[in-house]
């Protein structure tokens, strides 16, 4: 029974595959399936190039989001966040996204008046721990007022560090 199969892959490369680990009655079908795919080398090369393109796209997207979050924070007088330097930018983006979607959900589409929103916004200014905002990134926007009420003193910095 044949165990080594020459396969011409969709990329055009011909590779001899050892199919001895497969049951004899499934080797031909698997060889046919392999023929519809790129060879291992081409698959890896494509995946690595896609990874580089994807990483560049993500970096550009993050830079846009960071710029929008910084402009928003300045416009609405949001205080700088505290925490490890490595998560500050992520925290700023998370805060921006949650607060803006909460405004949309509560005021624009909901029944909260502008005066009520100012109270929510003022409470949001007091929570300045980046980790808190990151932890809330998947929260429903309408839950922001309740989440802000649940924030503890550990999530807010004080002027007196003692």
């Amino acid at each position: 029974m044949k165990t080594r199969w020459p396969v011409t892959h969709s990329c055009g490369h011909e590779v001899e595959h050892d199919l001895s680990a497969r049951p004899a009655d499934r080797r031909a079908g698997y060889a046919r399936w392999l023929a519809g795919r790129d060879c291992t080398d081409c698959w890896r090369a494509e995946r690595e190039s896609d990874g580089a393109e994807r990483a560049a796209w993500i970096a550009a997207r993050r830079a846009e989001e960071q710029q929008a979050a910084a402009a928003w924070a300045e416009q609405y007088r949001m205080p700088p966040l505290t925490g490890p330097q490595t998560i500050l930018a992520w925290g700023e983006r998370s805060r921006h996204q949650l607060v803006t979607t909460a405004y949309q959900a509560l005021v624009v589409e909901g029944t909260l008046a502008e005066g009520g929103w100012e109270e929510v916004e003022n409470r949001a200014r007091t929570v300045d721990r980046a980790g808190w905002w990151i932890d809330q990134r998947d929260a429903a926007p309408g839950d922001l007022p309740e989440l802000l009420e649940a924030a503890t003193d550990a999530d807010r910095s004080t002027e007196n560090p003692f």
Side-chain angles (χ1 to χ4, degrees):
M1 186 68 174
K2 183 174 167 180
T3 60
R4 300 196 66 77
W5 292 73
V7 175
T8 303
H9 290 274
S10 62
C11 60
H13 294 116
E14 188 169 322
V15 178
E16 188 171 303
H17 291 276
D18 179 11
L19 303 181
S20 60
R22 300 208 170 264
D25 62 337
R26 295 191 180 177
R27 290 179 190 155
Y30 187 66
R32 204 171 22 261
W33 180 83
L34 285 172
R37 312 281 178 284
D38 287 346
C39 70
T40 304
D41 293 336
C42 290
W43 177 81
R44 277 196 185 113
E46 184 178 330
R47 187 171 178 195
E48 287 171 2
S49 70
D50 284 350
E53 290 175 18
R54 183 168 164 30
W57 179 83
I58 288 173
R61 177 78 178 171
R62 291 288 180 260
E64 289 173 16
E65 290 172 351
Q66 192 62 40
Q67 187 177 22
W72 173 85
E74 185 177 326
Q75 179 183 358
Y76 291 100
R77 301 177 330 274
M78 291 292 170
L81 296 179
T82 60
Q85 187 67 33
T86 55
I87 68 167
L88 290 179
W90 187 15
E92 288 174 3
R93 290 191 311 270
S94 297
R95 175 177 65 180
H96 172 246
Q97 189 174 33
L98 181 57
V99 175
T100 55
T101 56
Y103 179 83
Q104 181 72 25
L106 296 170
V107 178
V108 176
E109 297 169 359
T111 59
L112 187 65
E114 285 290 334
W117 176 253
E118 286 179 21
E119 186 178 315
V120 171
E121 196 173 72
N122 287 334
R123 272 194 248 139
R125 283 188 186 91
T126 65
V127 178
D128 62 353
R129 188 174 67 83
W132 188 89
W133 290 101
I134 292 169
D135 290 344
Q136 311 312 318
R137 71 185 180 274
D138 293 327
D143 293 342
L144 182 61
E146 187 176 344
L147 293 170
L148 290 168
E149 282 184 34
T152 66
D153 289 339
D155 302 318
R156 298 175 175 90
S157 62
T158 62
E159 292 181 23
N160 183 356
F162 303 103

